[in-house]
Amino acid sequence: MKRWTPKAVATEAKLLLIGIPVLLWTLIPVYHMVLFAISSKDSATSGHLWPKNPTLDNFRIVFQQKHFYLDHFWLQLWNSLLIAVSVGAITLFVATTAAFAISRLRVRGGRTVMNLALFTYFIPAAFLAVPMYKTMGNYGLLNSQWALILAMVTIASPYCIWVLKQASDKLPYELDEAARMDGASPLQLFRLVYLPLMVPSLVAVGTYSLLLAWNEYLYAFLLLSNDKSVTLAVALGNFLSADDSPWELLMATGLIYALPPAAIYYAFKRYMVGGLTAGAVKS
């Protein structure tokens, strides 16, 4: 049984003094979102800490698309899912093969290319939005979901390559030499040795890129304009285009939109923590 010393009590008290305000700061916006989502239109802004007559009608309206802002709710949710999964898969392929070539095959100039790619993060992504828009226009990709997919892959790949490269450097190089002595080709080395050992980091960067694309608003707003091709994140912005915005429907839709990434994160959080910090400290 743990003995409580004055020093331990003081440490716990300090942690609580920091943790409780941070917890409240995090949960209060979620609380307000839930509060609006289960309130009727008349009582949503009444100022009560809890609605007198909680209702799920807002979710029914959203699911049944019974408001003109929600005419394409299910299609836009599908667009968000399709784009996020596509970005995650393509980024994972690009980052995995690039990290393998740089770290294990040690191709000439690989580290220089990786460092130059990381240098792009010195420029805020918002500043690159207009050049990205111009580039997609030159290639005729505007208003195509491929424009957003390629843009998000471009943004996510440098960091993912760096994470996988750092994690790959920690693998014993003797495994590669032993596989080559047994006659393994680079492709077999990649498939049979590299991939199985890199699973935690692969899950981490795949989840990171998927969530990055799922939550993206600026690039989705610029590159997509058709109501049937935009993501749900952009469609949520349409709720604010009128003076009498249906806040209760906005919050119900936002709560629905927030559930998939939350579920994905909590399903893979142990991989996220271990994978993203795999190369942080070298032995």
Side-chain angles (χ1 to χ4, degrees):
M1 184 176 178
K2 183 179 179 180
R3 291 185 59 188
W4 287 97
T5 62
K7 184 177 180 180
V9 172
T11 302
E12 290 293 329
K14 291 177 183 178
L15 291 175
L16 288 175
L17 288 174
I18 297 173
I20 292 176
V22 170
L23 179 64
L24 293 175
W25 181 264
T26 304
L27 292 181
I28 285 176
V30 179
Y31 159 75
H32 281 288
M33 180 181 290
V34 174
L35 181 65
F36 272 81
I38 61 174
S39 300
S40 61
K41 184 176 180 62
D42 297 332
S43 63
T45 56
S46 62
H48 293 115
L49 292 178
W50 193 253
K52 293 182 178 179
N53 299 304
T55 177
L56 296 177
D57 282 348
N58 295 325
F59 294 96
R60 178 182 57 80
I61 294 173
V62 173
F63 289 139
Q64 296 179 3
Q65 304 181 136
K66 289 189 174 182
H67 192 280
F68 59 88
Y69 284 141
L70 299 165
D71 284 343
H72 307 292
F73 167 77
W74 288 109
L75 179 59
Q76 290 162 350
L77 183 62
W78 167 252
N79 292 340
S80 296
L81 180 62
L82 177 63
I83 290 172
V85 171
S86 299
V87 170
I90 296 174
T91 301
L92 197 57
F93 174 77
V94 171
T96 304
T97 52
F100 176 74
I102 295 170
S103 177
R104 313 309 291 183
L105 299 183
R106 300 181 179 178
V107 296
R108 180 178 295 181
R111 293 176 185 268
T112 302
V113 171
M114 184 188 69
N115 291 332
L116 288 175
L118 281 175
F119 181 75
T120 61
Y121 285 128
F122 283 94
I123 306 173
F127 289 2
L128 299 175
V130 174
M132 189 72 73
Y133 179 89
K134 181 66 174 177
T135 301
M136 295 303 174
N138 291 339
Y139 286 100
L141 291 174
L142 287 180
N143 300 322
S144 167
Q145 292 180 349
W146 276 108
L148 181 57
I149 292 172
L150 295 176
M152 296 312 300
V153 169
T154 302
I155 294 172
S157 291
Y159 175 70
C160 293
I161 292 172
W162 178 79
V163 169
L164 292 181
K165 189 265 178 188
Q166 297 288 37
S168 179
D169 285 346
K170 296 178 68 176
L171 300 179
Y173 198 72
E174 289 77 11
L175 295 174
D176 299 25
E177 295 175 345
R180 288 192 178 96
M181 290 181 63
D182 289 338
S185 65
L187 184 60
Q188 290 174 320
L189 181 64
F190 176 76
R191 182 169 58 89
L192 300 177
V193 177
Y194 181 77
L195 288 182
L197 296 174
M198 292 287 291
V199 168
S201 295
L202 295 178
V203 174
V205 299
T207 304
Y208 162 79
S209 55
L210 187 151
L211 296 180
L212 184 70
W214 180 271
N215 292 319
E216 179 58 33
Y217 177 83
L218 176 60
Y219 281 82
F221 177 78
L222 286 176
L223 300 176
L224 303 174
S225 59
N226 191 309
D227 285 343
K228 293 185 178 180
S229 64
V230 300
T231 62
L232 190 55
V234 175
L236 286 172
N238 295 333
F239 282 81
L240 304 177
S241 61
D243 294 334
D244 57 341
S245 300
W247 290 99
E248 70 285 354
L249 298 181
L250 172 61
M251 294 304 171
T253 309
L255 190 61
I256 295 168
Y257 189 63
L259 291 178
I264 291 172
Y265 174 78
Y266 281 105
F268 299 112
K269 66 177 180 179
R270 65 190 184 99
Y271 290 108
M272 291 288 289
V273 174
L276 293 177
T277 60
V281 180
K282 291 187 178 181
S283 56

